[in-house]
Amino acid sequence: MLVKPTLRRAIESDIKAISNIALVSLLQDPQCLYRFPHAFKYPEDHEKFTHMRYTEHFADQERGTVCIMVAELPSNEDSSIMKLIAFAKWQLPGSYTKLARDETKPTIKPSDRRDADLTRMRVYRETISKAKEDYFDKKFGNSQLYMTTLATHPGYMRRGAGAALCDWGIKKAVSDKLAAVTLFSSPMGIPLYKKLGFRQVVIVHTQVNGEEECIDFPGMILEPEKIGEE
């Protein structure tokens, strides 16, 4: 019998498990590899700064600007133990105009980490921020729930965790009478989002001047009131 994931709001003791899921799942995402091309060469750096990043995200949740939801399933090793196997990070309505910390200023010195390409990180951050402003914020303003991250442990994929976390956001948007749920998708996420009713509104192109390598990814929206109209 298929066991449905259990969802709950993340607590501080979840930070390590969330960071570990990010480490094993997000490096399958071209957007992550583009920014952190040396992650496999310097795993200790990538692990350290990933944990720092999610510690900051949890602090943002405590400040009320984001919500981190986690999904649990019985462990593959011991079904009597519930295991955190996926998470989603949502930027709450209005928080993009009142960030609790200045995310445009790096908290990590360039000399501190060897896993990342700092120029690509900056260009990616600037590009996605501009795309969010142009295609999400100008249209929906404070009436949107923006998902910044969705990740599932590879050992627990295709068991409904990603869909359940997205469904939580859609239901929250309906309950809070928001106009839209918004996100930028990885290639792996596109089939799920389309199945749930999201539609593509833009392809975001990210490239450092002078480099041949680049990444393209879609911006997608779901407007609850329009589901079923098309």
Side-chain angles (χ1 to χ4, degrees):
M1 182 177 68
L2 181 65
V3 179
K4 292 184 178 180
T6 300
L7 305 187
R8 61 174 174 81
R9 182 181 170 95
I11 58 177
E12 188 171 5
S13 59
D14 294 326
I15 293 174
K16 183 176 180 180
I18 290 171
S19 299
N20 288 340
I21 291 170
L23 286 167
V24 299
S25 64
L26 295 181
L27 282 178
Q28 301 178 42
D29 180 352
Q31 290 146 270
C32 186
L33 288 172
Y34 179 78
R35 291 173 290 159
F36 308 107
H38 312 300
F40 293 108
K41 184 176 181 181
Y42 301 106
E44 64 278 12
D45 282 30
H46 197 62
E47 180 177 350
K48 173 185 175 181
F49 292 112
T50 296
H51 187 270
M52 288 175 60
R53 183 165 71 252
Y54 283 96
T55 298
E56 286 185 341
H57 292 335
F58 183 79
D60 289 339
Q61 177 172 263
E62 293 296 285
R63 297 182 184 104
T65 59
V66 308
C67 178
I68 305 171
M69 294 297 296
V70 301
E72 295 179 316
L73 279 172
S75 169
N76 288 341
E77 292 74 31
D78 183 348
S79 61
S80 68
I81 298 174
M82 295 298 287
K83 182 174 182 177
L84 197 161
I85 54 92
F87 72 92
K89 183 170 83 75
W90 301 88
Q91 186 171 310
L92 297 176
S95 61
Y96 73 96
T97 61
K98 55 176 182 179
L99 288 176
R101 59 184 171 84
D102 188 350
E103 293 189 339
T104 65
K105 295 180 180 179
T107 56
I108 300 167
K109 297 178 182 179
S111 59
D112 284 344
R113 64 184 310 171
R114 299 164 294 174
D115 60 323
D117 184 313
L118 273 295
T119 301
R120 289 183 182 180
M121 286 184 69
R122 176 182 56 78
V123 171
Y124 176 87
R125 183 170 60 247
E126 293 171 352
T127 302
I128 203 169
S129 295
K130 183 66 165 59
K132 180 177 181 294
E133 179 183 358
D134 290 343
Y135 293 94
F136 299 163
D137 298 345
K138 287 181 179 179
K139 181 174 183 179
F140 302 114
N142 291 338
S143 190
Q144 64 173 306
L145 186 62
Y146 172 54
M147 184 168 71
T148 67
T149 311
L150 176 65
T152 301
H153 190 287
Y156 295 84
M157 296 185 74
R158 301 187 183 280
R159 292 176 60 178
L165 288 164
C166 289
D167 189 56
W168 177 90
I170 294 169
K171 288 179 178 177
K172 179 172 176 58
V174 171
S175 175
D176 293 352
K177 296 181 172 55
L178 302 177
V181 181
T182 58
L183 59 88
F184 293 100
S185 178
S186 68
M188 295 182 296
I190 294 173
L192 170 63
Y193 300 136
K194 286 186 174 180
K195 183 178 180 180
L196 292 171
F198 285 83
R199 62 184 178 88
Q200 179 179 305
V201 293
V202 64
I203 291 291
V204 181
H205 179 77
T206 302
Q207 186 173 24
V208 174
N209 287 337
E211 288 190 357
E212 291 187 6
E213 189 169 354
C214 63
I215 51 170
D216 297 297
F217 50 92
M220 307 182 77
I221 65 173
L222 183 148
E223 297 171 90
E225 291 187 355
K226 294 185 178 181
I227 294 177
E229 290 184 3
E230 299 181 356

